[in-house]
Amino acid sequence: MSVSAAIYGLSGPKLTTVEKAFFRDADPWGFILFARNIDGPKQLTRLTGSLRDALGRDVPILIDQEGGRVARLKPPTWRKAPPAQVFGDLFEREPEAAIAAVRLNHRLLAHELRGVGVDVDCAPVLDLRIPGADDIIGDRAFGETPDIVALLGQAAMDGLMAGGVAPVIKHIPGHGRADADSHLALPRVTEEHGLLSETDFAAFRKLNRAVMAMTAHIVYADIDPENPATTSPDVVGNVIRGEIGFDGFLMTDDLSMKALSGTFRQRGEASIRAGCDILLHCNGDRGEMRQVAEAAPRLAGKALERAKLAEQARDVIEDFDPEAGESELNELLELARR
């Protein structure tokens, strides 16, 4: 039986009675957690268990745990993972060490996430670091060239999947040139399509077999001057599915970000019409979620097939010694500090 093509956030560290009733009725594919939902390991484990109990199935639970400034599990309770740029800087001097370090870091992230019931990580970032662009990406990027980003991005995905966590590459087809933070405004990228294809889109093309991707709320003016990628049939169909060749499960970035306009039902319907498989709504506002629920179809056809493949990416957990892994990672990162 298919479920609703939606992923929702919730308001706090406990699932409320009202939320439980809404989620049972809405029947979303998954949930996403933020700092407001997290008090500690025991509480978080109870919360993820209660979300699965509420829907009566092994519902995917997502989080943004990249490391650096984008981390929902924070010290001192959890490990302080480095930002992507640290690994990119190491790659410039010791490529093999950098690849090994990225894989280990993300294997540790997977161990930490699975330990509290989270099994999808919205990482790695495959956007390029572009000098002069808005700093919303910045040190979240592995590097300035698609070859480096793709190599380290693959290592990140390998580490997550070895720990039973499905990765979500972001922000397809490329957020690095954004002239604004899409949480706050709608960025416009004015560079020609040909240049974007050679640079920003290239890392995603190299890793187009990823199981999941998150869209960019960005207008690429030379492709579709009116609509951001999330709601653009030209960008989703011709660039993401066509030129890049991504055939995995495509989720929107958060529909509540200020880059988008219209009612939440309109945002959701436009995203589905453009070719996105599933809608993401993060802030836990029930009024907004009700509108998203009205826009979200049942997962069916190709979208349902992609969803099942994404779920299967959580199935295999390789043997791992986290203490030894962290020790080895620290030794590799010492090379980056020299």
Side-chain angles (χ1 to χ4, degrees):
M1 185 175 67
S2 68
V3 299
S4 176
I7 299 164
Y8 297 120
L10 55 152
S11 60
K14 291 183 179 179
L15 179 62
T16 69
T17 302
V18 174
E19 285 174 331
K20 186 174 183 179
F22 170 77
F23 292 143
R24 280 181 170 170
D25 183 56
D27 196 21
W29 180 77
F31 296 100
I32 187 165
L33 302 178
F34 289 85
R36 66 179 182 271
N37 308 123
I38 300 167
D39 284 341
K42 290 183 179 179
Q43 166 271 330
L44 185 52
T45 303
R46 286 194 299 270
L47 177 60
T48 54
S50 69
L51 289 169
R52 292 189 169 104
D53 289 345
L55 297 191
R57 55 186 168 84
D58 185 21
V59 58
I61 298 178
L62 295 75
I63 204 165
D64 290 283
Q65 190 74 5
E66 299 172 13
R69 58 192 156 111
V70 179
R72 314 307 182 200
L73 308 185
K74 297 180 182 295
T77 305
W78 286 279
R79 180 178 64 98
K80 183 176 176 60
Q85 185 172 345
V86 168
F87 302 102
D89 291 345
L90 177 57
F91 187 92
E92 297 289 349
R93 289 180 288 134
E94 298 282 351
E96 292 185 6
I99 291 169
V102 169
R103 191 185 191 283
L104 268 174
N105 180 63
H106 286 75
R107 181 64 184 87
L108 283 162
L109 288 175
H111 176 77
E112 292 154 1
L113 294 175
R114 285 295 299 233
V116 290
V118 177
D119 53 12
V120 181
D121 192 4
C122 297
V125 168
L126 299 188
D127 307 313
L128 304 186
R129 186 166 58 253
I130 304 291
D134 187 271
D135 193 45
I136 186 59
I137 298 301
D139 67 355
R140 298 167 64 192
F142 286 116
E144 298 181 8
T145 63
D147 287 344
I148 291 175
V149 169
L151 282 168
L152 297 182
Q154 182 66 63
M157 290 197 297
D158 291 344
L160 289 171
M161 288 191 292
V165 171
V168 182
I169 59 174
K170 60 188 188 186
H171 307 82
I172 198 168
H175 204 300
R177 290 182 196 276
D179 60 354
D181 179 350
S182 55
H183 294 85
L184 307 175
L186 175 59
R188 293 183 66 86
V189 170
T190 58
E191 281 79 3
E192 292 182 352
H193 186 170
L195 174 64
L196 296 174
S197 183
E198 293 173 3
T199 54
D200 303 54
F201 302 169
F204 292 96
R205 190 163 54 241
K206 290 173 182 292
L207 299 186
N208 63 11
R209 295 179 65 82
V211 293
M212 294 183 70
M214 177 188 290
T215 62
H217 292 334
I218 293 178
V219 168
Y220 303 90
D222 195 37
I223 302 168
D224 183 340
E226 301 296 329
N227 302 298
T230 304
T231 59
S232 170
D234 287 333
V235 176
V236 174
N238 297 333
V239 175
I240 295 175
R241 297 300 193 193
E243 180 181 333
I244 289 174
F246 175 73
D247 193 38
F249 198 40
L250 184 63
M251 59 188 279
T252 70
D253 204 344
D254 182 11
L255 294 181
S256 62
M257 290 162 63
K258 291 182 171 58
L260 301 184
S261 59
T263 68
F264 283 86
R265 179 168 183 165
Q266 290 168 338
R267 297 178 191 196
E269 289 174 343
S271 301
I272 295 296
R273 279 198 307 270
C276 294
D277 293 317
I278 191 164
L279 307 175
L280 174 68
H281 184 275
C282 295
N283 66 22
D285 182 290
R286 284 193 299 282
E288 294 178 7
M289 288 193 293
R290 288 189 188 98
Q291 292 190 50
V292 174
E294 291 171 352
R298 308 298 288 183
L299 281 173
K302 189 67 174 175
L304 180 58
E305 292 175 17
R306 293 168 176 148
K308 289 179 178 178
L309 288 173
E311 292 175 23
Q312 290 169 11
R314 311 170 299 161
D315 288 349
V316 177
I317 302 179
E318 298 176 2
D319 289 340
F320 182 64
D321 181 338
E323 290 185 5
E326 187 168 3
S327 177
E328 184 180 352
L329 174 61
N330 288 335
E331 290 178 10
L332 292 168
L333 290 176
E334 275 300 313
L335 297 174
R337 300 186 187 105
R338 292 174 189 166

